[in-house]
Amino acid sequence: ENPWALKNLVDGDTYDQNGGWSSNDRFAAWQHPEWAGVDFGYPYTIDTVQLYPRSLDQFGNVPSDGFPVDFEIQVSNDGAAWTTVKMVQGAASPSAPYPPVTVHFDPVQVQYVRVFADTLRPCEFDKGSYRMQLAELEVYCTAPDADVQ
């Protein structure tokens, strides 16, 4: 079984020694689109996304390969039309002990959320190709009594 399958993006394992999620594509170009997301199954109010970077590779190195440089948190109610609720540019490369990158935005009620990246870091273990990799994606509503119209 592939330890980097999509299902592992939300398996609760924030430390990727047992896997996480990786895009399938390996590109030589650092600027190309990649995304991964979640379908809640019904509308849910959210205002925070946490991205956990990969922290270990198969050799025990800690390069945080594949963490996006420029990315957007996008939301949708139908999985087809997407709205950007937060844009992050020039995200620093996560370093040990690899805390999550937390992204806050105004509360929205949506069924789908995704991380859409268009600028990536190289994956050194993969001979410098570019792909997006995350240990975990967590989505929350931290605003007490969020009232979304």
Side-chain angles (χ1 to χ4, degrees), residues 36-38 40 44-49 72-86 105-116 139-140 148:
V38 176
F40 299 122
Y44 185 73
T45 301
I46 64 170
D47 66 3
T48 303
V49 169
E72 300 174 17
I73 304 300
Q74 297 181 336
V75 296
S76 175
N77 281 311
D78 62 7
W82 295 90
T83 301
T84 298
V85 293
K86 188 71 169 193
F105 44 90
D106 291 334
V108 291
Q109 188 172 49
V110 295
Q111 182 170 331
Y112 302 86
V113 63
R114 73 180 183 180
V115 179
F116 180 90
V139 183
Y140 301 98
V148 179

Side-chain angles (χ1 to χ4, degrees), residues 9-10 12-14 38 48-52 100 136-140:
L9 183 64
V10 293
D13 184 0
T14 60
V38 176
T48 303
V49 169
Q50 287 190 313
L51 306 175
Y52 287 82
E136 188 77 6
L137 170 68
E138 294 181 347
V139 183
Y140 301 98

